[in-house]
Amino acid sequence: MTSTAAAAATDGDLLAGFPAPPSSGLDLGPITLNFYALCIVAGIVAAILLTSRLWKSRGGSADNVMDATLWAVLLGIIGGRLYHVFSSPDAYFGPNFDGSGDLSLIPQIWRGGLGIWGAILLGAVGVWFACRRYGMKFGGFADAVVPGVLLAQAIGRWGNWFNQELYGGPTDLPWGLTVDMEHRVPQVSHMSESTLFHPTFLYESIWNLLGVVALLFLYRRFQFKQGMLAWTYVAYYTLGRFWIESLRIDELDKSTQFINILGLNWRLNMWAAVLTFLVAVAMLYVLWSKRPRTAEQLAEEQEVFTPGHGPRAEIADSAGDGDEDSAGDEDSAADAHDTADADGEAADDVDAEDASSRPDPETVSSDPRGQASEGSAKES
């Protein structure tokens, strides 16, 4: 901090900085409503709404999004928690896994601790499974999902503010963050209570919101090879995550936070960001080389369902059922016509028999007297 900022802080003028949250949750008697969890839920809801709108614009339905969300959220939370537990094991297993930790803390996700790398990895597995099950193309659906995912991350980062985590080193910037003494790492616990820190959670939230705007522009303006927008999200996010991680000091006291490779003593998340960024760039190159170059290929890229699935398949099935119904009606009409013909022929046969059994009028009237004499003789 500069002398001016330090003097202002000493005088108690904390309004120049970003304040600490008033509390981390609401106490509702037997339960506590944690603001970190509320931020996560709010992010998920926002992601669902945005993804549904984008997916419907490509011919999908909101039901597809809900089906995939169930798998993605469930596996994403599990993956995020597992990554956090094993990358920051001190509280759960003890420093260097010496067994002095508390395993009962592992399921308590409302206390904070969801690693984005594990959440994205297993969340993507959940989306892939849903796509396989419901006949959606994974690349096309992932392109519609990633703007919502980045929006959820931007909202969820505010949960870190309520938990007073994800902060950087001391600063005299006007947006510096106030961190209560009980939430500081030992390396800065000796500093004045009015010391301000970089609000790295805020930096990442803003970075993510800018990314949402960029992804939405690309999604609506261009028709890329399916999957390219998803890998663009990965490259963009990891690029920002790298420089933001370089500012953080909130986990300096954890045993697994730094890894030295080739003389570069970087945080674990910085190495994860760099490696993931390189993979994303490689995938973008591969997909760009396979981009559609003909009208037929472009039409194929615009189809987001596998053959036999989606609205077009449902329309075709409905049309097929209609044809079968029409054919059935025609068969019924033909059967009725044949029955009517048969009845008509039977009636003609009966009339013919009646006609043959009746006496010939000409014979009866040819000799009336002879018939009368014959009748008289029979009577006598």
Side-chain angles (χ1 to χ4, degrees), residues 146-349:
V146 290
V149 171
L150 201 54
L151 178 60
Q153 290 176 257
I155 297 173
R157 276 306 177 206
W158 284 88
N160 300 123
W161 175 61
F162 285 108
N163 281 354
Q164 298 196 54
E165 53 193 8
L166 263 71
Y167 56 87
T171 181
D172 58 355
L173 293 172
W175 55 81
L177 175 67
T178 301
V179 179
D180 294 334
M181 296 299 292
E182 62 267 24
H183 293 283
R184 295 185 184 182
V185 292
Q187 288 83 350
V188 294
S189 60
H190 65 282
M191 294 183 178
S192 168
E193 185 177 352
S194 56
T195 302
L196 303 179
F197 300 88
H198 279 287
T200 52
F201 82 91
L202 178 63
Y203 298 162
E204 186 171 335
S205 181
I206 295 174
W207 177 267
N208 291 345
L209 288 175
L210 294 175
V212 171
V213 174
L215 290 177
L216 288 176
F217 172 77
L218 294 174
Y219 187 87
R220 292 169 173 167
R221 181 66 178 83
F222 301 100
Q223 179 65 55
F224 296 106
K225 175 76 176 175
Q226 290 186 5
M228 282 198 68
L229 197 70
W231 285 108
T232 300
Y233 150 75
V234 175
Y236 176 85
Y237 176 75
T238 52
L239 182 64
R241 185 63 184 265
F242 178 82
W243 70 266
I244 292 171
E245 281 290 331
S246 68
L247 299 175
R248 287 180 58 183
I249 65 167
D250 57 302
E251 293 185 336
L252 290 177
D253 57 329
K254 295 186 177 179
S255 60
T256 59
Q257 284 307 298
F258 286 88
I259 298 177
N260 192 313
I261 300 178
L262 300 176
L264 298 175
N265 193 34
W266 288 351
R267 295 170 66 99
L268 173 62
N269 286 336
M270 293 173 67
W271 284 111
V274 168
L275 294 177
T276 307
F277 175 80
L278 293 177
V279 171
V281 171
M283 289 302 301
L284 285 172
Y285 174 79
V286 171
L287 292 175
W288 177 256
S289 66
K290 296 181 179 180
R291 65 188 182 278
R293 291 181 170 85
T294 66
E296 182 179 0
Q297 292 174 343
L298 181 59
E300 176 63 23
E301 289 300 318
Q302 291 175 339
E303 180 54 56
V304 293
F305 288 94
T306 57
H309 296 86
R312 294 182 182 179
E314 294 175 359
I315 294 174
D317 291 341
S318 300
D321 293 339
D323 292 341
E324 292 178 0
D325 293 340
S326 298
D329 294 340
E330 292 176 0
D331 292 340
S332 299
D335 292 341
H337 185 270
D338 293 341
T339 302
D341 290 343
D343 292 341
E345 292 176 359
D348 292 340
D349 293 340

